[in-house]
Structures are given as structure tokens and as C-alpha cells.
Amino acid sequence: GSIKRALQQIESESETFDDFSREVISAEMYKIFLLIQREMSRKREIADIARNHHDDEEVSDELLDKVRAYIDENIDKNITVKDVSDFVCVEYKYFSHHFALRYGMRLKQYIRRKRIELAKELIANTDMNMTAVAERCGFGTIHYMTRVFKNEENLSPTEFRRRFKNVHAVMLDAAPASFYDSNNTEEN
């Protein structure tokens, strides 16, 4: 995102290429360098954490916290178990096994649960249409979100909104409900 914008700025400035343009290009190049350096530093930090545990140990709490933060930050993307294990620089079967031991569910289930909880929060507290909710929660399509939602909650997203609105219509001054808890890892 940020690198792409910087490159677009460089491209537009290179068309005029006067002294001011050179300064803008230089600043944008420096920004790109800093973004790349920050990303490399983050990856080194993750790799160091991963290296500090041995194959016969469980995955560290620090590493699992980084994974949960990564999932929360990228819930709107099509992230896979492989993406997450690549992020933490740990072989995905090994990592997935330890994640399931620690949380009592596979990583794929955990990601799906986070998406459902975020969808419930958006459906209950906003007037976003279901297509926008599906995109924001990383489902991609409304059809896929509806199928997963029905499987997990035993009702469609539309039925959930209707029931939630009916039940809570009396509570006019109530605070918005929050179903999405980035620290909640238990099955319902």
C-alpha cells in the first residue's frame, strides 16, 4: 500500500523532473527504503523468536501473540495457515500442530471464528450491507459468508441482524454490542 503510493508519486513527479521533482522523488525513495527496512526488521524479529525455540518445545506464547495480532490485522485478507506460518518463519505443519494443542482448534478454525465474530459485530452495530460485511471480514463473497455463518451460528447473517435488532430495539440507550474479542480463543 504505502510503497505503491510512493512509487506512483515518483512516477508522476518524473514527468516534470525539475529541482522540486528531484526532491520529491528523493523523499519518496527514502520513504520506500524505510518501509522496506521496517518490514525486514519485523521479519528478523519474528525469525529470532522462532529460532529461540527448539523442535521439541511448544511454540512460545510470544510467537502465538504475534500470530494472533497478524490475524487480527489481516482478517480482511484471504490468509491461510501457510501465510501465517511463513509470517512466523516456522514450518506450517509443526506450527499448526502446536497452535491446535494450545488453543484446542486448528488455525483455520480460529481464523474462521475471528471472521464470524467480526461479522456479527458489524451486522449488529452498523448498517453495512452484507456484501460489504463479507469483504471487510475476509470472506470474499456474500455467498461464502452466508454458508459459513449459517454453519457456525445456525442462521443467516440477515436473520442474525433481524433477530439482534428485534431483541435490542427496546434498549435504546444501550452501548453497541461487541462480539469480536481479539483475546477470546475459546469455542462457543
Side-chain angles (χ1 to χ4, degrees):
S2 298
I3 293 175
K4 184 177 180 180
R5 282 190 301 275
L7 289 171
Q8 288 170 341
Q9 181 67 31
I10 290 170
E11 183 179 350
S12 70
E13 289 295 329
S14 67
E15 292 171 4
T16 57
F17 214 68
D18 56 12
D19 286 339
F20 178 74
S21 294
R22 283 189 197 115
E23 287 181 33
V24 170
I25 290 171
S26 177
E28 293 298 321
M29 292 296 287
Y30 184 70
K31 187 188 321 180
I32 291 170
F33 170 75
L34 290 177
L35 290 168
I36 291 170
Q37 190 177 29
R38 183 184 318 150
E39 181 66 16
M40 289 173 57
S41 175
R42 185 190 58 75
K43 287 197 180 265
R44 273 194 302 273
E45 176 186 329
I46 297 291
D48 288 345
I49 293 168
R51 269 194 299 277
N52 288 335
H53 74 276
H54 303 289
D55 286 342
D56 58 341
E57 293 179 9
E58 287 188 17
V59 175
S60 73
D61 288 336
E62 185 179 5
L63 199 60
L64 290 173
D65 288 343
K66 296 239 183 241
V67 165
R68 289 174 51 185
Y70 174 80
I71 291 169
D72 289 346
E73 290 170 14
N74 294 286
I75 200 70
D76 59 331
K77 297 175 181 71
N78 185 18
I79 51 178
T80 66
V81 174
K82 178 128 176 49
D83 295 332
V84 174
S85 62
D86 287 349
F87 170 76
V88 294
C89 305
V90 176
E91 198 272 322
Y92 80 96
K93 286 182 183 176
Y94 171 80
F95 176 77
S96 186
H97 170 75
H98 283 285
F99 189 93
L101 287 176
R102 178 71 52 89
Y103 292 112
M105 69 180 85
R106 294 185 333 257
L107 183 59
K108 187 175 185 176
Q109 291 171 308
Y110 179 83
I111 293 168
R112 185 175 56 235
R113 167 131 351 250
K114 290 294 185 179
R115 287 187 171 133
I116 290 293
E117 294 302 312
L118 178 59
K120 286 167 59 177
E121 184 173 325
L122 293 173
I123 291 167
N125 296 317
T126 73
D127 290 326
M128 289 174 73
N129 67 45
M130 293 303 168
T131 301
V133 171
E135 289 173 7
R136 171 62 185 91
C137 297
F139 288 109
T141 68
I142 189 172
H143 301 293
Y144 179 61
M145 179 180 80
T146 301
R147 190 179 75 203
V148 172
F149 201 97
K150 270 186 169 179
N151 192 34
E152 294 282 324
E153 300 297 321
N154 295 320
L155 65 161
S156 74
T158 305
E159 292 168 330
F160 177 84
R161 176 173 274 165
R162 192 175 317 116
R163 285 186 186 179
F164 185 85
K165 298 288 183 187
N166 288 339
V167 169
H168 291 89
V170 178
M171 301 174 9
L172 297 175
D173 294 328
S178 180
F179 300 99
Y180 181 68
D181 179 3
S182 64
N183 295 319
N184 183 10
T185 58
E186 295 181 19
E187 290 276 339
N188 287 338

